Amino acid sequence: MDSQTSQNAHGAQAPHTPHTFQVDLRGLVDLLSHHLYSSPKVYLRELLQNAVDAITARRAEQPDSPATVRLFAEGGALRVEDSGIGLTKTDVHQLLATIGRSSKRGDGLESARADFLGQFGIGLLACFVVAERIRVVSRSARTPDAPPVEWTARDDGSYTVRTLPDAARLEPGTTVHLEARAGAADWLAEERVLSLARDFGSLLPYDVRVGEAAVTDLPAVWDRPYPSPAARRVALARHCHDLFGFTPLDSIDLDVPLAGIRGVAHVLPQAVSPAQRAGHRVHLKGMLLTERAEQLLPDWAFFVRCVIDTDSLRPTASRESLYEDETLAAVREALGERIREWLTSLAAGDPERLAAFLSVHHLGVKSLARHDKEMLRTMLPWLPFETTDGQLSLEEFAQRHPVVHFTRTVEEYRQVAPIASAQGIGVVNGGYTYDSDLVEALPSVRPGTVVAELDADTVTAHLDSVDPAEELALSAFLAAARARLDPLGCDVALRAFHPLTVPALHLDDRAARHEQARADAEAQADDLWAGILGSLRGSAPRARLVLNHLNPLIRRVSSLTDPELVGTAAEALYGQALLMAQRPLRPADSALLNRSFIGLLEWATHPGTGKDDAR
């Protein structure tokens, strides 16, 4: 079409006729069941929400009105009756036949808006997940003279509306009838309906029943009076076992009045990975919103499982998780503070329970203490660390040693711990998660404490030197040993140290390992990469094999005169020292171990050799 035909006779732009979206209800139901909602079971939550919202709306206008919800399941059908605000014929057309229209409009229901749980229209639509036909019969409490109205809808998108004789329903309220679709009858069975109703609605503020069986169980277990604190702990533990399947180490009250939150956090009885996402149960105004809320608590609080009721947090569109906003962030911080206060109170008044907790969940507390100086100061006498003096707290270890040495890896600790302990050097194993960070933070909460990372030079400096004359007499032996280990990037030193049972000690640090890794890569690279890697050569000290002159085996080996045999013995001692340190072996190290083992066997079994030759 050209510009002239798109204008009218006066040269004005032709008006565009608006069109209305056509909704394929079958496609929408499929979208709800397979993408928005996690399970067909949410249909019952939507029915309960609609009923509770209707009662809330009526009580906003008539505070003394009845507040009951009754569910009847039989023969693949479900009937839900509520004593709520009810609907007129106009309401039915506006709310039930218009998808997405909220019942919280401004014609008398707005005053109760803050107390509503959901949207009536979209919630009722969710029932098509299990039903092929929905029939709603309702009478308005706001317009008593209006006749009852019936709305019937099918999953093909068609619906009918008709008024009923006054005798059809005398009391205000709404009844929803569902007829199960093929294969979904089990979702409308009485036992399943009762189980779902209790799961979703146990904390609802109104009288809800399935047949004669009560659904609501108020007050909540954390709000009930008990004869003693011990009785309350037993009740909370039983509640935790029913919900989560474990008996907690302890239970922590979560009371945040400003955020409208009441609930409890249960402490897990076994250790869990910090990476494991915790699933918490969140009720919104009494209705279960989700049992898999992951963002409710700070990441460090992975050792608890929570159940709370709130009236301030926002649900997502599916009403199965929480909307991430400033309110949720503030609630997360407040709940984290409650758990932090619980830990502090244990440290101050119940050390036995704290010790039991830390024996299982010390990792979570260490994670918190890394970023919270007050928590580190509080937990300092309690958090366990592996040290050369045994399992100790950093507080006790710092009292024993003027300098707190630590290693950053478990391998470094294992290779120096026996020697350092014998020389009186106190060392903390910082190789476990968070430990080196906490050791380095020690001076910030304990002024005057000296912390130093242990390196090979520090260990070597604490080992006794050998008499110069004796070392000179062994120069030929040491030269042969150094020549054999030089290609491995390892020097050889002779020292005297305890314990006597350790023949050799392999010492290196991170810088030495990085330099060795660079050298290995350079040796295997082509000319271009070899040149690049060569330019990165560092000045870090090489690893060293420290031979213990006090060890009887070293004394015998050092008397050998055959350079080849000395080299084989040096390789064997090097490999044994690596194994003792539990260090990962490079391919070259594994080849060396095999070569030295075969060489020693050949020497031991060669004609003309024997124990006398070794002396």
Side-chain angles (χ1 to χ4, degrees), residues 446-460:
R446 196 177 188 275
T449 303
V450 179
V451 173
E453 183 176 354
L454 190 67
D455 55 24
D457 289 336
T458 302
V459 177
T460 306

Side-chain angles (χ1 to χ4, degrees), residues 421-444:
S421 178
Q423 310 306 314
I425 307 174
V427 184
V428 178
N429 185 356
Y432 296 114
T433 307
Y434 310 131
D435 282 10
S436 60
D437 293 337
L438 294 178
V439 175
E440 289 184 298
L442 190 55
S444 67

Side-chain angles (χ1 to χ4, degrees), residues 33-308:
S33 60
H34 292 98
H35 300 283
L36 184 62
Y37 295 126
S38 62
S39 167
K41 70 180 182 180
V42 298
Y43 89 91
L44 192 64
R45 182 195 64 194
E46 301 299 338
L47 288 174
L48 289 176
Q49 283 188 349
N50 289 337
V52 169
D53 283 349
I55 294 172
T56 301
R58 183 177 182 184
R59 285 208 154 185
E61 300 180 5
Q62 304 170 13
D64 296 329
S65 62
T68 61
V69 181
R70 297 291 183 266
L71 297 89
F72 303 93
E74 184 178 0
L78 176 65
R79 184 172 85 253
V80 182
E81 301 175 355
D82 70 67
S83 59
I85 193 71
L87 302 171
T88 64
K89 186 175 182 179
T90 301
D91 294 333
V92 166
H93 281 290
Q94 290 182 340
L95 300 179
L96 300 188
T98 305
I99 295 173
R101 176 72 60 84
S102 172
S103 61
K104 278 70 77 178
R105 63 200 192 287
D107 60 351
L109 303 185
E110 185 70 27
S111 60
R113 185 180 191 124
D115 295 323
F116 285 153
L117 297 173
Q119 281 188 323
F120 192 83
I122 194 69
L124 191 61
L125 187 63
C127 293
F128 279 120
V129 173
V130 297
E132 65 178 5
R133 191 172 81 123
I134 302 174
R135 186 164 67 95
V136 178
V137 178
S138 187
R139 184 166 192 168
S140 175
R142 287 184 293 108
T143 312
D145 296 335
V149 61
E150 179 189 72
W151 176 86
T152 303
R154 294 186 176 276
D155 61 1
D156 61 2
S158 63
Y159 73 92
T160 60
V161 180
R162 68 188 181 102
T163 56
L164 301 176
D166 286 349
R169 183 177 176 89
L170 299 178
E171 297 298 325
T174 300
T175 300
V176 180
H177 301 262
L178 301 185
E179 294 181 11
R181 64 171 55 252
D186 183 58
W187 288 105
L188 304 186
E190 183 176 21
E191 185 176 352
R192 174 70 70 89
V193 169
L194 177 59
S195 174
L196 292 177
R198 284 177 171 168
D199 194 39
F200 284 121
S202 63
L203 300 183
L204 290 174
Y206 305 131
D207 180 15
V208 182
R209 294 178 181 272
V210 177
E212 297 299 322
V215 168
T216 51
D217 187 20
L218 296 175
V221 63
W222 52 81
D223 285 330
R224 297 173 190 171
Y226 295 96
S228 66
R232 186 174 189 273
R233 282 197 296 271
V234 170
L236 290 176
R238 185 182 304 113
H239 174 255
C240 174
H241 190 274
D242 292 341
L243 286 183
F244 299 111
F246 65 85
T247 301
L249 285 177
D250 204 351
S251 299
I252 309 166
D253 283 316
L254 301 177
D255 184 7
V256 186
L258 292 178
I261 286 179
R262 288 283 295 157
V264 63
H266 299 292
V267 181
L268 289 164
Q270 70 279 337
V272 293
S273 167
Q276 179 177 333
R277 304 300 295 176
H280 308 291
R281 290 176 63 94
V282 177
H283 294 255
L284 181 60
K285 302 181 182 72
M287 181 71 71
L288 179 66
L289 179 70
T290 177
E291 53 191 353
R292 298 187 302 274
E294 296 181 350
Q295 68 273 49
L296 184 65
L297 293 181
D299 290 341
W300 56 261
F302 56 82
F303 49 83
V304 298
R305 296 292 180 269
C306 297
V307 53
I308 67 166

Side-chain angles (χ1 to χ4, degrees), residues 330-392:
V331 165
R332 184 162 48 234
E333 183 177 348
L335 295 181
E337 183 60 30
R338 293 293 181 272
I339 298 174
R340 184 184 289 108
E341 291 172 355
W342 170 77
L343 285 170
T344 304
S345 66
L346 285 187
D350 200 340
E352 290 186 1
R353 270 206 300 166
L354 178 62
F357 166 75
L358 290 178
S359 67
V360 178
H361 295 298
H362 59 275
L363 197 60
V365 180
K366 287 181 177 179
S367 173
L368 171 59
R370 291 167 62 222
H371 307 291
D372 189 325
K373 288 186 178 180
E374 287 304 315
M375 181 55 62
L376 177 57
R377 184 178 290 108
T378 300
M379 293 291 109
L380 205 56
W382 307 102
L383 289 174
F385 288 79
E386 182 180 0
T387 77
T388 49
D389 294 350
Q391 286 284 335
L392 292 178

